[in-house]
């Protein structure tokens, strides 16, 4: 019986293991702690932003592949602008979304055939002309060519609203989020930002939620 040995790099093995296999993610709801920040602009306006009611519904991927991640995010951003600023408030805006980062990005996986050619030396032993026979031999083995690049960090805006002087709320319920071609863990972190514009000052701040893997 003939045995064929396949040689792959560590990256190719990881890629081959992920492609075509069902996702192992299980349905799970992650509840995260609230976070808050407060700033005072140079002309005296107080701005408070709070990220609360944050959760993530982690689900098996729709395409059932090990290199995709999928889930549904919910959160609530509350902004309060108060105080007696020295200059009139022209406007403000609240934005929410997610920062997503993958360990490594799988660009492509191509099965193929690898041809190895090299010298070989054989020994002829017999009653006539004993000696050494040298030549060139070749053998063929299957291979997997994987194109892998360092992971990327992406900011994904989800919703925004113009802020009023008193209180502004941006509510997100079960926003669908997904990423394909991801090798290794995918880290997710929610954010809520507010920008304020007065007659003399442009200011703002961002509050981030806890980072969690999916």
């Amino acid at each position: 019986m003939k045995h064929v040995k396949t040689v792959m790099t560590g990256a190719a093995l990881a890629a081959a293991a992920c492609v075509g296999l069902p996702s192992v993610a299980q349905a799970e709801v992650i509840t995260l702690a609230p976070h808050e920040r407060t700033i005072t602009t140079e002309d005296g306006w107080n701005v408070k932003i709070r990220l609360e009611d944050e959760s993530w519904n982690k689900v098996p991927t729709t395409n059932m592949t090990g290199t995709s991640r999928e889930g549904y995010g919910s959160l609530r951003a509350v902004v309060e602008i108060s105080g007696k600023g020295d200059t009139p408030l022209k406007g403000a805006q609240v934005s929410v979304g997610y920062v997503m980062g993958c360990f490594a990005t799988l660009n492509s996986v191509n099965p193929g055939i690898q041809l190895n050619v090299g010298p070989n030396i054989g020994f002829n032993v017999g009653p006539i002309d004993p000696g050494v026979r040298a030549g060139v031999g070749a053998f063929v083995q299957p291979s997997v060519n994987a194109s892998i690049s360092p992971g990327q960090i992406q900011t994904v805006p989800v919703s925004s609203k113009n802020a009023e002087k008193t209180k502004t709320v941006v509510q997100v319920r079960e926003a669908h989020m997904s990423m394909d071609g991801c090798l290794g863990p995918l880290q997710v972190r929610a954010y809520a930002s507010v920008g304020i514009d007065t007659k003399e000052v442009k200011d703002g701040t961002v509050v981030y939620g806890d980072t969690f893997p999916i």
Side-chain angles (χ1 to χ4, degrees):
M1 180 181 292
K2 184 178 180 181
H3 297 277
V4 179
K5 183 178 181 181
T6 303
V7 179
M8 301 183 187
T9 65
L13 281 169
C18 290
V19 175
L21 295 181
S23 172
V24 296
Q26 301 296 320
E28 177 186 2
V29 177
I30 303 171
T31 302
L32 298 122
H35 293 270
E36 181 179 296
R37 288 198 69 182
T38 301
I39 64 170
T40 301
T41 66
E42 188 172 338
D43 52 356
W45 291 101
N46 299 318
V47 182
K48 181 171 71 173
I49 182 168
R50 180 177 175 85
L51 179 62
E52 60 185 24
D53 294 343
E54 185 189 355
S55 65
W56 183 274
N57 186 5
K58 181 179 178 181
V59 297
T61 57
T62 306
N63 60 4
M64 297 299 292
T65 61
T67 56
S68 294
R69 305 289 184 272
E70 189 173 4
Y72 298 88
S74 299
L75 56 82
R76 170 184 164 99
V78 181
V79 172
E80 296 180 12
I81 302 175
S82 60
K84 296 180 179 180
D86 297 333
T87 60
L89 178 66
K90 295 174 61 177
Q93 187 175 56
V94 185
S95 300
V96 297
Y98 292 93
V99 179
M100 308 176 74
C102 186
F103 175 75
T105 301
L106 176 64
N107 300 317
S108 63
V109 177
N110 301 312
I113 296 177
Q114 181 178 358
L115 176 65
N116 292 326
V117 179
N120 62 66
I121 298 177
F123 290 87
N124 292 328
V125 180
I128 302 175
D129 296 331
V132 177
R133 173 176 54 83
V136 175
F139 64 96
V140 177
Q141 64 182 16
S143 66
V144 174
N145 299 318
S147 174
I148 298 174
S149 60
Q152 299 179 353
I153 299 174
Q154 298 181 7
T155 300
V156 184
V158 175
S159 185
S160 63
K161 178 178 173 54
N162 292 332
E164 303 296 336
K165 182 178 178 181
T166 54
K167 182 178 179 179
T168 302
V169 177
V170 176
Q171 180 80 55
V172 174
R173 303 180 191 273
E174 298 289 319
H176 177 253
M177 308 292 293
S178 65
M179 181 176 286
D180 297 320
C182 181
L183 286 178
L186 173 67
Q187 300 276 40
V188 179
R189 180 170 62 236
Y191 73 87
S193 67
V194 58
I196 183 172
D197 190 15
T198 72
K199 187 176 180 179
E200 295 182 357
V201 176
K202 184 180 289 291
D203 203 344
T205 188
V206 182
V207 61
Y208 292 96
D210 295 330
T211 302
F212 57 94
I214 64 170

